[in-house]
Structures are given as structure tokens and as C-alpha cells.
Amino acid sequence: MNIPAGQPPQHPMSNRMQIFVAVKVRIPNNEPALRLKTCWVCETRGQNTPNAPSAGVEMRKSGVRQGIGLRHWLVRQDEGMFEQFVESNVDVRDSQLFVRVGGEGPPVLLLHGHPRTSATWHRVAPRLVEAGFQVVCPDLRGYGRSSKPEPTPDHSAHSKRATAQDMLGLMNHLGHEQFALAGHDRGSYSALRLALDYPSAVSKLALLDCIPISEHLARANASFATNWWHWFFYAQPEIPERVITADPDSWYQGDPAIMGQENYNEWRQAVRNPETIRAMLEDYRAGLTIDREHEEADRTAEKTLQMPLLVLWSLRDDLEMLYGNPLDIWKDWASDLRGHGVDSRHHMAEEAPDELATTLINFF
């Protein structure tokens, strides 16, 4: 029987029910874990067939709710994002991070931007796995399903340094002392901070749609203020929370046709959470204050990136319009530098996944 993905099986002689299937997997530290997947099962009557599950999953009869005496099981796991990835919650420092991990091989850490979650990588991460990497996709602190720290007066709880420490702790927890790293948008600032603070941990660094926060602010003319006004609006106390929570769907304007339905659903659930909105705004407030101070201290100390750096920017976004070739700015931050534009709007992992994945594979 051909069972379409995401639909229950149809059979004229069967009763239908939804069950949970326990799938035995292994997480990177080799501790056994069970992941629950929603599936559909058919009870086929009048056939003397063995009780054999399909699709190579381990079926537990104790997981079936209702129905006794099943004689034949027809199973199709719902196909969707990150099918070969393990999802878990990891306690790191003062945070609990939601993380997806897939594949075996050299580790790669992917950091999403605003207002996305780790699901934004759903078209890129599997390609990296196929190329022989182990891929780690967390929700940043405050975002998605990761914990939401209480704001602090100096915004340090949402600083890029705090996020960088989270990410280093996560990768150490997974058994990786060194790893390749890519970050997009707000995630790129956390990736930059991690590479500056812990250079021995990062083998190669890819920054997407990014120049340092301090470089943006040093060039903050009327064009920047007009195009990136949201930086300064988000920095205001309380007002952005009231405006955005009134109608987050209209404010953020996601599109399932572009994002992919499951990615869109996950994103939409996240941005409807007032605690997530507050945490994302704190990310921006930290950017204009403590994060800027950290970057300016690095420049005063003449600290630069020690690892190879790849810079990619979306050609249908405004980074090149504002600054010309971003590599000209990065020359003061890294000596081993390369990069180019990508034919995409801002969210290149969703809109240009093939080009992005190929470029990252070749670089890493």
C-alpha cells in the first residue's frame, strides 16, 4: 500500500488510529535515547501476516493507545524537516537549549538569525549531513524553544558573549572541542563573538549577511537609519513589546510558500510567544550597548579573527547597497578572507539553499 506522507493510511477493512512510535536513536555522546514520532497504523483483518513494522523503525506495542490484537501494521512516518536529526533539550550554563543534531563526521554548528529558529536551516542542514558532516542546529537563547533568560539592566543576559558561551558549552557537551561555525543575521554576531573569544574552538567561520555591529554603527548615516530603523525601535523600552504582541503575524509576515510549511509553523508558534518577543528585542538592545562595547574593545586591542573567514551576503538585500563590497570592511578583522554575494533575499538558507549548502561544503 502506498501511504502518502503526512496522511493516514486508507484501507477498506481497517480501523484507523493515531499512535506514537518509539524510535531508538543514538545521540552524539552515545547515550541511548528515544524519540517520539507521530505515525498512522492500520489494523488489517483476516490476514495471517507477521507483526512486522515497515520503514525500519522499532515498534513498541505498549505505545499503541486503543485497539488490541493488531495482526499487521502498515506504517509511514510523516516526512518533513530534519528527518534524520535527533531533537533534544540540553542544559548549558544558565540556559536550556533546544537543539537538532544529525549526521556523523566533522562537526558544524549553524546559528540562525532573527526572528527565525533552528528550523530555518531545514533545507541546508541535510545537505551538509549528506556531504559527511555532523550538523548541530540550536535555537539561540531566547529564541524558539530555548529558555528565555530574565532581562538585566545592562542587557548582558542577552549579549552575544552569553550566547557564544552557550554555544561553546553545547558543543563541548556533544564532545566537540573544535568545530566549523556558520551564523546568519543575529546568529552571525554570536558566531563572531564566539570566534573572537574562543579562537581555538573554531576551525573555520562563515558569516552570512553580516558586518560587525560596531561597523554598522560607525557608518550610521541617514540611509542606514532609514533602512535599519528597526534596530533603534527595538531598543526602546516596553513600546516594541506592546506593538509587536498586538499582531505578531502582521509584524513579522512569514510566508509558508517561501519558508516551507513546517518551518513556518514552528516560526509562527515562536513569534506568538510574548516571552520570545521580549527576548528577541533584548538581543537588539544588547547589540546597541554591551555588544558594541565588546567589539570596540576588540578593535582597541587589535584583536582579529585567527581562522579562515567566509563572508556571504544576499544580493537582493541591502548590505551591498549600504556599504559596497562587505569584504572591504572585513579586511580589518581577518587576514584569511574570502566571500561573495548570493542571489537571494535576506533569508538565504530558505531561498538559496543549494548555493549556500554547496558553498559551505566547499569551505568547511
Side-chain angles (χ1 to χ4, degrees):
M1 182 185 298
N2 182 24
I3 306 172
Q7 299 180 19
Q10 304 293 325
H11 194 285
M13 297 290 292
S14 68
N15 294 329
R16 218 169 46 201
M17 67 199 76
Q18 192 174 28
I19 68 166
F20 291 97
V21 178
V23 183
K24 184 174 287 187
V25 297
R26 286 200 173 272
I27 56 180
N29 62 2
N30 291 322
E31 295 177 1
L34 290 176
R35 177 173 51 171
L36 294 179
K37 302 289 288 186
T38 301
C39 301
W40 292 91
V41 65
C42 269
E43 176 187 357
T44 304
R45 302 180 185 276
Q47 297 183 21
N48 186 18
T49 52
N51 295 337
S54 65
V57 299
E58 179 179 340
M59 300 290 294
R60 303 278 182 93
K61 284 190 178 181
S62 60
V64 179
R65 299 177 183 179
Q66 303 178 358
I68 301 175
L70 298 186
R71 308 193 72 176
H72 185 52
W73 297 17
L74 300 170
V75 177
R76 173 67 177 268
Q77 295 191 49
D78 288 344
E79 293 181 355
M81 301 187 304
F82 299 100
E83 279 297 304
Q84 303 304 315
F85 283 66
V86 176
E87 298 178 350
S88 61
N89 293 296
V90 178
D91 291 321
V92 177
R93 302 173 60 248
D94 60 345
S95 298
Q96 184 175 87
L97 303 177
F98 173 78
V99 60
R100 297 171 158 107
V101 181
E104 296 181 358
V108 174
L109 175 62
L110 302 179
L111 305 184
H112 66 84
H114 171 274
R116 297 301 200 252
T117 70
S118 55
T120 195
W121 300 107
H122 71 104
R123 293 171 178 150
V124 173
R127 289 168 167 84
L128 297 181
V129 168
E130 291 172 2
F133 295 97
Q134 181 178 92
V135 182
V136 181
C137 301
D139 288 352
L140 304 180
R141 64 163 47 204
Y143 287 76
R145 283 177 272 181
S146 289
S147 60
K148 317 294 189 280
E150 283 296 316
T152 54
D154 65 352
H155 309 295
S156 60
H158 294 82
S159 69
K160 308 309 169 288
R161 179 159 285 161
T163 302
Q165 291 169 348
D166 286 348
M167 297 302 111
L168 182 67
L170 171 63
M171 295 304 281
N172 289 166
H173 173 83
L174 296 175
H176 305 307
E177 295 184 0
Q178 189 178 64
F179 45 90
L181 174 61
H184 177 253
D185 186 76
R186 306 305 291 184
S188 69
Y189 304 135
S190 297
L192 173 61
R193 176 49 49 201
L194 200 165
L196 287 168
D197 285 358
Y198 307 99
S200 64
V202 180
S203 58
K204 293 183 178 181
L205 176 64
L207 300 176
L208 319 180
D209 287 322
C210 174
I211 67 169
I213 292 171
S214 57
E215 298 283 6
H216 277 296
L217 296 176
R219 294 165 172 77
N221 56 19
S223 179
F224 176 80
T226 301
N227 285 279
W228 290 48
W229 60 270
H230 63 284
W231 274 29
F232 308 103
F233 174 65
Y234 290 167
Q236 304 307 308
E238 299 182 3
I239 296 174
E241 282 91 338
R242 294 203 301 270
V243 172
I244 297 172
T245 56
D247 190 355
D249 290 354
S250 296
W251 183 267
Y252 291 116
Q253 297 183 337
D255 185 348
I258 295 173
M259 298 172 66
Q261 188 64 55
E262 289 186 75
N263 178 26
Y264 172 82
N265 292 345
E266 182 171 316
W267 161 84
R268 191 165 183 243
Q269 182 178 12
V271 300
R272 289 182 166 195
N273 181 347
E275 292 185 358
T276 301
I277 292 173
R278 182 184 68 171
M280 292 192 297
L281 294 171
E282 280 294 311
D283 178 356
Y284 281 85
R285 291 162 182 155
L288 296 184
T289 54
I290 190 169
D291 294 333
R292 178 186 185 178
E293 293 169 5
H294 290 160
E295 288 186 6
E296 290 174 342
D298 291 333
R299 299 311 296 138
T300 299
E302 298 183 347
K303 183 184 289 189
T304 59
L305 295 167
Q306 302 301 306
M307 68 292 298
L309 172 63
L310 170 68
V311 177
L312 302 176
W313 59 94
S314 302
L315 293 174
R316 286 182 276 150
D317 202 5
D318 55 8
L319 200 63
E320 193 172 78
M321 180 271 291
L322 287 170
Y323 306 120
N325 189 338
L327 296 181
D328 292 337
I329 296 172
W330 282 107
K331 287 176 182 177
D332 291 334
W333 291 78
S335 57
D336 190 350
L337 174 65
R338 79 277 295 140
H340 58 82
V342 175
D343 185 16
S344 174
R345 292 178 295 181
H346 182 61
H347 294 285
M348 64 174 73
E350 297 167 1
E351 298 191 33
D354 293 333
E355 181 178 356
L356 176 57
T358 298
T359 303
L360 292 178
I361 290 166
N362 291 337
F363 175 60
F364 291 149

